[in-house]
Amino acid sequence: MSDSLNTAVARHLKVLSEQIGARPASTPANRAAAEYIAAEMRRIGLEVELQPLACPNWRCLSETLTLDGEALAVLANPFSPACDVRAPFTAVCTLAELEHADLSGRIALIYGELTRQPLAAKSWFLSTPDDLRVVNLLEQKAPLAVLAVQALPGSTNRLVEDWEFTLPSATLPAESGLALLTHPESTLHLRLETEQQPGETRNVVGRRAGSRPETAVACAHFDTKYDTPGASDNAAGVAALLALAERLQTERLDCGLEYVAFTNEEYLPIGEDAYIPAAGEGHFERLLLAINFDGLGHRLDALTLASFTCSPEFQTRLEQLSSIHPGVQWIEPWPESNHSSFAMRGVPALAFSGQAVRTWAHQRCDALRWVNPSTVLEAAELSAGILRDVQSQPLAWLRPVESNA
Ligand SMILES: [Zn+2]
């Protein structure tokens, strides 16, 4: 079984990250990934439900920036409207400078304090007042376009990724930012050829019934950012999810099992916007546990595990179960990704990940050769051990006392 699971994990990784590649929501690649996962779930023997979610379908046909006739590297921001503008630019480094800047008829070049992190999307639950202030000021001042300078050398991470942001915008690699900042009197020509249409994506949910009404959930998102093969983030998570389902399929378990391959974890609207209404809030009261796999298996990293809203007794048990996997490192709870949607509703949750995802994810370098299939399988095996242990436990034993009230 382990041999065939090894082969299956390697195949899931290859199909998703190399044969399909970048698979942002509503793109043909995203649909191909959903179809692959649904077919695998059916092969394993699960009942499959597809949950549709309306989501813009955006693509970039070309992106060019010239400074006094010289071409510079530029990366269109996802969901940016198209533009073809020739204009001088104003460079803005701090929020205070942005407040005072007159940007009419100009291109805004934002850097420093304003682009230390990607600007959070307006509707994201973790966006900060400062993020919203920057976005609102830019939209009020309405420059012809916004160029955001990526300060991390070599990074292709986009700095604005919000389909509700109305201005044409692009990310400038650090070198391009330097070229502009050392030629402040120049005129720029920015041309972004992009298209956006209404689109649809879907979650893929596989289920098997148990002898008791309570269910355990395992999940992983299958979408990626634009322009990344998404091997560790998150072909690896999907491979762990499918390996877990396959490992447990021939075993009798008391609880029901639900395997959710979420779409659109990377942008808004998130896959949970389809999952939660379909499930109903009462669903979360019957969940024993939710396990999420996101950003694991990097060859230069340990497999990390974090827990959320678990009772002290359950936490002790989890640490016993994980102790037979000395390569697993416990880390502090982190608030992003799909496990948050369960933890916020009082469901005990676990997140398998890795620290390398913080620097590698969302970029072209998140490629298959950096992912170790054995680590992916180890996450599935440890999860199987945890679910065997949890399947007959009373719900109240797993949850901390305060969330039972
Ligand atoms: Zn991810």
Side-chain angles (χ1 to χ4, degrees):
M1 182 66 158
S2 245
D3 266 4
S4 70
L5 269 191
N6 267 319
T7 310
V9 164
R11 178 163 47 84
H12 303 325
L13 288 169
K14 189 168 178 64
V15 169
L16 292 168
S17 68
E18 286 197 338
Q19 292 176 10
I20 295 176
R23 46 200 179 276
S26 298
T27 60
N30 181 268
R31 177 179 285 268
E35 283 168 2
Y36 174 78
I37 294 163
E40 284 298 306
M41 285 181 174
R42 290 192 186 101
R43 177 184 66 77
I44 290 165
L46 302 169
E47 284 287 318
V48 175
E49 181 197 357
L50 302 178
Q51 296 175 334
L53 175 71
C55 184
N57 175 358
W58 178 88
R59 67 185 185 132
C60 176
L61 303 164
S62 72
E63 51 204 346
T64 55
L65 175 69
T66 54
L67 168 83
D68 295 336
E70 187 197 338
L72 297 175
V74 64
L75 302 160
N77 287 329
F79 313 111
S80 170
C83 72
D84 188 358
V85 294
R86 283 170 213 272
F89 67 93
T90 299
V92 191
C93 183
T94 64
L95 189 52
E97 279 182 347
L98 180 59
E99 274 162 359
H100 291 97
D102 178 2
L103 300 174
S104 64
R106 302 181 73 88
I107 293 172
L109 177 74
I110 61 172
Y111 69 107
E113 182 191 1
L114 302 175
T115 64
R116 219 161 272 152
Q117 292 167 4
L119 282 182
K122 285 190 257 188
S123 306
W124 195 39
F125 76 109
L126 288 176
S127 76
T128 65
D130 273 2
D131 284 326
L132 292 174
R133 183 98 189 105
V134 173
V135 168
N136 288 336
L137 279 168
L138 286 169
E139 286 184 341
Q140 281 162 23
K141 290 172 183 273
L144 297 170
V146 177
L147 295 173
V149 180
Q150 173 55 263
L152 274 178
S155 173
T156 56
N157 271 336
R158 312 305 202 263
L159 292 161
V160 183
E161 304 180 305
D162 185 0
W163 52 269
E164 293 179 310
F165 186 64
T166 53
L167 300 170
S169 75
T171 295
L172 288 188
E175 286 288 344
S176 299
L178 178 65
L180 265 61
L181 288 166
T182 50
H183 296 83
E185 304 302 327
S186 302
T187 292
L188 301 178
H189 181 194
L190 175 68
R191 187 159 184 273
L192 303 175
E193 202 184 345
T194 64
E195 288 176 355
Q196 185 165 312
Q197 288 159 354
E200 191 182 89
T201 179
R202 55 203 56 71
N203 297 322
V204 186
V205 184
R207 296 190 181 91
R208 56 174 263 196
S211 54
R212 59 186 290 212
E214 290 83 2
T215 297
V217 173
C219 62
H221 74 86
F222 69 89
D223 67 306
T224 63
K225 299 267 191 193
Y226 285 91
D227 198 25
T228 170
S232 165
D233 182 22
N234 193 27
V238 175
L241 180 74
L242 293 173
L244 171 64
E246 193 159 4
R247 162 63 78 231
L248 290 178
Q249 191 59 16
T250 52
E251 300 182 23
R252 268 183 59 99
L253 261 62
D254 290 348
C255 67
L257 292 171
E258 183 178 84
Y259 302 96
V260 188
F262 278 109
T263 191
N264 222 25
E265 192 269 342
E266 301 291 8
Y267 305 107
L268 298 176
I270 53 175
E272 282 91 333
D273 293 339
Y275 175 80
I276 293 167
E281 289 289 341
H283 170 68
F284 296 91
E285 289 159 23
R286 294 184 296 274
L287 291 186
L288 295 168
L289 174 67
I291 300 177
N292 183 30
F293 304 100
D294 190 0
L296 58 151
H298 200 282
R299 287 191 188 274
L300 300 184
D301 202 4
L303 178 64
T304 67
L305 183 53
S307 67
F308 308 76
T309 45
C310 295
S311 69
E313 298 78 15
F314 182 33
Q315 180 64 35
T316 303
R317 188 77 191 114
L318 286 169
E319 285 166 24
Q320 284 169 359
L321 291 166
S322 68
S323 66
I324 56 169
H325 297 265
V328 173
Q329 177 198 356
W330 280 90
I331 61 167
E332 290 300 308
W334 46 287
E336 296 101 355
S337 191
N338 302 106
H339 54 270
S340 302
S341 302
F342 295 94
M344 281 164 59
R345 289 171 173 77
V347 179
L350 297 175
F352 283 93
S353 187
Q355 301 289 358
V357 72
R358 307 262 159 214
T359 41
W360 288 72
H362 309 156
Q363 304 202 53
R364 293 169 190 169
C365 60
D366 182 13
L368 180 60
R369 66 197 179 93
W370 293 99
V371 174
N372 185 346
S374 305
T375 310
V376 174
L377 192 52
E378 185 170 23
E381 296 290 6
L382 174 51
S383 297
I386 291 168
L387 289 175
R388 283 181 201 112
D389 203 73
V390 155
Q391 44 130 352
S392 53
Q393 293 287 1
L395 213 109
W397 185 82
L398 299 161
R399 299 190 176 204
V401 172
E402 58 270 34
S403 71
N404 294 331

